[in-house]
Amino acid sequence: MNAEVTPWDVKGKVDYNKLMKEFGIQPFSELLENWNVDVEPMHLMRRGIIFGHRDYDRILEAMNGKKWAVMSGFMPSGLPHLGHKMTMDEIIWHQKAGGFAHVALADMEAHVVRGLSWEKLKEIGKLYLKSLIALGLNPDRAFLYYQSEFGKLKDLAFELSAEVNWSELKAIYGFTPETPLAKMFVTSVQAADILHPQLKDPKPVVVPVGADQDPHIRLTRDLASRVSIFAFEEIDSGVRVRSRRGSEYLRMLEKELSFEYRSYAEHIDVFGERRDIEEFIRKFEVEIGGFAFIPPSSTYHKFITGLTGGKMSSSKPESYISLFDEPSVAEKKVKRAITGGRGSAEEQRRLGGEPERCAVFELFAIHLIERDEDLEEIRRKCVEGEMLCGNCKKLASQLIGEFLKDFQEKVNSVELR
Ligand code: TRP
Ligand code: SF4
């Protein structure tokens, strides 16, 4: 069966290489080969769980002393589970690496897509905020908000929606004539989530998300350009600058330029260091009231397999572990999980297990094992048939129990401001 991936539905088995080819997502592995910043790549990057990106080079560049931000969001429509924890860990990792963190509680989206009341969304949203902090987010270097309570966000969403038309929405999201207007509008709200960190202060922003969110990212990157005045093209030893609002903006700009340039009717060629020129012009655009958005960067993680096989789904409690599950309940879920084990113990000793299709191994890789050497040891023992699934699950369930106990103690002591 061919996979179908939209932001609200993932069907079938996903071929990540195909996904990357089709949409122009870059493989993250290439970045790892030329990693030139002080922080170690996150474990999800090292382990190929974060498999792709757009423009992450920009973030790596900014990590060397510039201002940048990380931004992502959650629909507070059910208890936060290990899938959400993965994104939370990514936000926290980026914050520790120097980015200012922005987190949206997508209550507007959840209200139209899942039909939950505003009160319920507030209540569940609090659990997400507390979870983020308990997992290590520093609230002093973060901006956490509900979409519905953030006026400037809704203004920006409205502004962005002026640039989006029906055929575009239909092509990107597969909307039909029956789709409610509000469901269409929340796509602009999400674009506003992603772009608001740059209001008045354009900077690189990375959005860590699951692969299903890429349509939003593509639309947002496009909108970032469409609503900004100046457009940049790389040329030999500089940048060609065009205006999307008429040439009078070029004439205003050239009066201010502190670089060498050559002026034409419809563009200006500016010579010098590309990033410096763009930064200068963006500052100028903000001064004259423009947005000057930098297209956001993104990272993509793989979907995690449900414990019962197939997709992890909020509607199947057995398929996921919630951060608020009783440790003993979670331990039992792990013990019942689908593995990459063989039909019999004899067969498994002979052939070894298949960690690459094992939900328990995924738990180790994403959440439970910090050191790469330890993970590699589990993998080796599995494929060599040295360890059987029973013992392996025992270890996983013990680790998950310990993690939840510790996490829940922390969550209970978090005070929201
Ligand atoms: N749409 C996302 C989801 O389904 C949630 C979300 C809202 C989001 N705003 C965002 C994700 C901004 C990334 C960035 O879970
Ligand atoms: Fe999965 Fe562990 Fe069984 Fe290997 S031994 S298939 S990793 S549960």
Side-chain angles (χ1 to χ4, degrees):
M1 177 179 162
N2 248 336
E4 195 184 307
V5 181
T6 77
W8 297 288
D9 215 357
V10 182
K11 292 196 190 88
K13 192 162 165 40
V14 183
D15 179 340
Y16 293 101
N17 285 323
K18 193 170 146 233
L19 204 68
M20 289 200 279
K21 276 227 181 71
E22 199 168 323
F23 294 114
I25 296 173
Q26 303 300 314
F28 206 89
S29 53
E30 290 174 5
L31 295 176
L32 296 173
E33 288 159 22
N34 308 302
W35 198 261
N36 63 352
V37 293
D38 290 341
V39 264
E40 273 287 291
M42 188 193 186
H43 70 287
L44 298 175
M45 299 168 176
R46 300 195 305 264
R47 296 172 187 178
I49 294 155
I50 292 178
F51 66 93
H53 74 98
R54 288 184 194 274
D55 273 0
Y56 198 78
D57 321 62
R58 208 192 277 282
I59 301 301
L60 289 175
E61 208 179 297
M63 279 182 188
N64 292 316
K66 296 234 160 144
K67 235 202 233 175
W68 59 282
V70 53
M71 184 304 126
S72 197
F74 303 93
M75 270 208 282
S77 54
L79 290 179
H81 57 55
L82 290 182
H84 301 111
K85 174 179 173 285
M86 174 153 62
T87 307
M88 291 181 183
D89 287 340
E90 290 166 358
I91 296 170
I92 293 163
W93 183 86
H94 281 99
Q95 189 194 48
K96 294 203 164 120
F100 194 91
H102 298 251
V103 182
L105 289 170
D107 60 343
M108 289 174 77
E109 182 181 6
H111 188 70
V112 295
V113 179
R114 304 268 190 256
L116 273 73
S117 75
W118 297 108
E119 295 72 36
K120 190 76 194 162
L121 291 165
K122 280 282 137 57
E123 186 188 314
I124 303 175
K126 282 197 186 123
L127 298 177
Y128 282 74
L129 297 180
K130 287 187 174 184
S131 297
L132 274 158
I133 294 168
L135 289 171
L137 187 83
N138 174 359
D140 297 332
R141 297 198 55 246
F143 175 59
L144 315 168
Y145 64 91
Y146 290 87
Q147 288 173 332
S148 68
E149 291 181 349
F150 187 8
K152 286 227 162 33
L153 181 87
K154 292 189 271 190
D155 292 349
L156 177 58
F158 183 75
E159 194 92 18
L160 296 171
S161 73
E163 293 287 334
V164 187
N165 66 31
W166 158 244
S167 38
E168 185 173 30
L169 286 178
K170 192 168 86 169
I172 299 176
Y173 298 103
F175 289 157
T176 68
E178 282 69 42
T179 306
L181 179 55
K183 183 162 172 179
M184 297 186 201
F185 184 64
V186 293
T187 60
S188 285
V189 178
Q190 178 152 348
D193 283 331
I194 295 171
L195 293 175
H196 88 268
Q198 296 194 62
L199 284 173
K200 298 271 182 318
D201 188 12
K203 61 174 90 58
V205 176
V206 58
V207 189
V209 281
D212 60 317
Q213 297 294 307
D214 188 51
H216 289 300
I217 303 288
R218 291 200 305 275
L219 176 62
T220 307
R221 284 167 56 86
D222 231 68
L223 286 173
S225 311
R226 275 185 240 167
V227 300
S228 302
I229 298 171
F230 296 109
F232 306 105
E233 260 167 61
E234 198 167 346
I235 54 167
D236 265 352
S237 61
V239 181
R240 176 160 299 168
V241 187
R242 296 179 193 277
S243 159
R244 293 192 191 81
R245 299 274 186 283
S247 53
E248 60 268 32
Y249 284 99
L250 294 175
R251 305 292 83 89
M252 281 163 73
L253 173 64
E254 62 196 10
K255 288 204 202 92
E256 306 293 327
L257 280 174
S258 55
F259 298 83
E260 210 181 303
Y261 67 91
R262 200 168 301 147
S263 183
Y264 301 82
E266 297 298 326
H267 67 265
I268 307 175
D269 287 345
V270 188
F271 303 104
E273 200 53 54
R274 177 171 186 187
R275 294 288 193 225
D276 296 342
I277 297 169
E278 291 188 11
E279 201 177 306
F280 179 92
I281 297 176
R282 286 206 169 88
K283 234 187 225 141
F284 174 73
E285 179 172 337
V286 170
E287 274 166 27
I288 61 172
F291 287 119
F293 290 137
I294 299 174
S297 307
S298 51
T299 62
Y300 302 98
H301 55 235
K302 296 183 174 172
F303 303 108
I304 42 179
T305 320
L307 294 174
T308 47
K311 188 188 152 209
M312 184 172 280
S313 159
S314 329
S315 56
K316 287 185 294 178
E318 287 302 305
S319 76
Y320 64 86
I321 292 172
S322 151
L323 295 176
F324 293 86
D325 274 348
E326 281 290 336
S328 64
V329 171
E331 285 168 25
K332 279 200 198 98
K333 285 184 188 173
V334 172
K335 290 205 171 124
R336 280 197 293 264
I338 293 274
T339 70
R342 306 285 176 173
S344 70
E346 183 279 322
E347 203 186 332
Q348 188 157 346
R349 277 198 196 91
R350 190 155 46 83
L351 299 172
E354 299 179 282
E356 61 284 353
R357 26 178 310 199
C358 173
V360 178
F361 190 76
E362 241 178 62
L363 280 180
F364 287 133
I366 301 177
H367 299 291
L368 300 176
I369 302 286
E370 246 179 73
R371 287 163 26 113
D372 290 352
E373 301 87 284
D374 296 342
L375 186 69
E376 179 49 30
E377 181 65 4
I378 295 175
R379 203 190 62 81
R380 187 192 62 76
K381 282 186 179 163
C382 169
V383 294
E384 289 178 5
E386 202 178 306
M387 175 168 61
L388 300 187
C389 296
N391 274 335
C392 192
K393 282 174 162 180
K394 212 180 267 169
L395 173 64
S397 68
Q398 183 198 338
L399 290 176
I400 199 81
E402 284 166 11
F403 163 75
L404 287 178
K405 202 164 146 278
D406 178 60
F407 169 83
Q408 289 166 11
E409 265 169 36
K410 283 193 193 135
V411 147
N412 283 330
S413 65
V414 172
E415 305 265 5
L416 293 180
R417 284 174 284 190

